[in-house]
Amino acid sequence: MTDELKGRTALVTGATSGIGKVTAGELARMGARVLVHGRNPARLEATVAELRTTSGGQVEGVRADFASLADVRALAAEVRARTDRLHVLVNNAGGATTGRALSRDGIELTLAVNHLAPFLLTNLLLDLLKASAPARIVNVASEAHRVGTFDIDDLQNERRYSTFRAYGQTKMQNIMFTHDLARRLSGSGVTVTAVHPGTVDTGIWDAAKGVARPIVRVMQWFMITPERGAAPLIRLASAADVEGVTGVYYKRFKPAPTEPPSEDAALQARLWDASAKLVGLS
């Protein structure tokens, strides 16, 4: 264990596997107190035990199902009960579905898990992040945001649905949220960035069916390991050379332009308002 992040507290969502697990372990190895989020209690317990051993750091588990807004609220409350400071929030949890499905709250599942859950969680933890400034928020987005067209009036994909379109829409929303939040947090000492970690072999596409299945099989030939995929997240969460950088989308390690809808401030505001309404934020 080293001491680059000694005295700092980090929350990494979706950290029982893949790039989230690697990121959590590395932040703990660097001296941070790391809250590891997962959905499955047994898997969460095993991950915490493993990361404590491999990192030699302070690792704790926090459970929530991002398909439930009540669970997200409970997660925020638990984090607040455990600490009065939060220096790093890595919004990594996400997934893809094989067909249109609804969350416990009756919201299209990909939207609920990939965008609304981190939107709500971040907002509920903003006071902790501001109190801990300088603090960082890292949103895991994707080059998949370039897939299809973005329709602010069909956030729940009721008019037409495909697995890739739904996923790509939420990754666009992650980027729009990043740009909007960076503007709202200006001067607070809290920065927010978005990152495409690469096409990582995390298993989220394993259940793909129909026309998506052969596409996924081809994609798997070009996927990188979770260790390589986590590297850009770890850098944005900890490196001194990105201190103060905010509102930027990274394609792995380099800033990159995004599709035009993500840069539209009026559209960002509409997404914020629609998201706040769906999650019950005033």
Side-chain angles (χ1 to χ4, degrees):
M1 189 174 77
T2 59
D3 61 0
E4 296 101 308
L5 297 180
K6 186 177 180 180
R8 292 184 169 267
T9 299
L11 169 62
V12 183
T13 69
T16 58
S17 65
I19 60 176
K21 182 178 178 180
V22 176
T23 299
E26 183 62 15
L27 296 182
R29 190 193 66 78
M30 296 169 74
R33 175 192 180 192
V34 180
L35 304 179
V36 171
H37 157 261
R39 179 180 59 179
N40 180 285
R43 193 169 185 177
L44 179 60
E45 182 179 357
T47 299
V48 169
E50 178 186 342
L51 293 182
R52 283 175 178 167
T53 299
T54 57
S55 72
Q58 186 176 2
V59 181
E60 304 169 35
V62 286
R63 198 209 72 81
D65 184 349
F66 272 19
S68 163
L69 294 174
D71 265 29
V72 176
R73 290 182 179 277
L75 172 60
E78 183 172 359
V79 172
R80 295 167 65 89
R82 292 200 192 188
T83 181
D84 61 357
R85 291 291 186 271
L86 184 63
H87 303 91
V88 177
L89 170 60
V90 180
N91 285 314
N92 166 69
T97 61
T98 58
R100 191 176 186 278
L102 300 181
S103 73
R104 295 186 201 172
D105 304 286
I107 298 169
E108 193 275 313
L109 192 58
T110 311
L111 172 69
V113 172
N114 291 4
H115 169 62
L116 294 179
F119 173 85
L120 176 59
L121 180 65
T122 302
N123 273 283
L124 294 176
L125 295 176
L126 277 182
D127 57 343
L128 287 186
L129 289 156
K130 290 176 181 178
S132 310
R136 305 182 188 189
I137 302 166
V138 180
N139 294 325
V140 178
S142 173
E143 282 291 277
H145 82 278
R146 306 187 192 280
V147 175
T149 56
F150 180 73
D151 187 351
I152 188 68
D153 296 313
D154 189 27
L155 292 179
Q156 300 205 49
N157 293 287
E158 294 174 291
R159 296 173 186 166
R160 59 191 181 95
Y161 181 92
S162 77
T163 296
F164 290 128
R165 179 176 183 272
Y167 182 80
Q169 289 263 45
T170 60
K171 296 295 104 179
M172 172 69 80
Q173 291 153 19
N174 295 156
I175 296 169
M176 294 172 72
F177 175 48
T178 298
H179 291 322
D180 198 351
L181 186 60
R183 187 167 52 250
R184 293 169 187 256
L185 290 175
S186 178
S188 70
V190 181
T191 61
V192 52
T193 52
V195 59
H196 166 65
T199 305
V200 186
D201 188 7
T202 62
I204 69 167
W205 299 107
D206 287 353
K209 298 177 181 177
V211 69
R213 187 59 192 159
I215 297 174
V216 169
R217 287 185 183 277
V218 172
M219 287 169 52
Q220 288 174 327
W221 283 98
F222 302 95
M223 289 180 179
I224 61 177
T225 64
E227 288 73 21
R228 287 185 62 198
L233 280 67
I234 295 163
R235 176 173 176 268
L236 290 173
S238 64
D241 68 328
V242 291
E243 181 75 52
V245 175
T246 193
V248 178
Y249 170 75
Y250 286 83
K251 185 176 178 181
R252 292 205 32 92
F253 298 102
K254 296 182 178 180
T258 55
E259 293 301 296
S262 70
E263 306 289 347
D264 187 327
L267 202 57
Q268 293 165 15
R270 288 184 63 190
L271 175 64
W272 186 288
D273 291 344
S275 302
K277 183 176 181 180
L278 284 167
V279 303
L281 278 180
S282 59

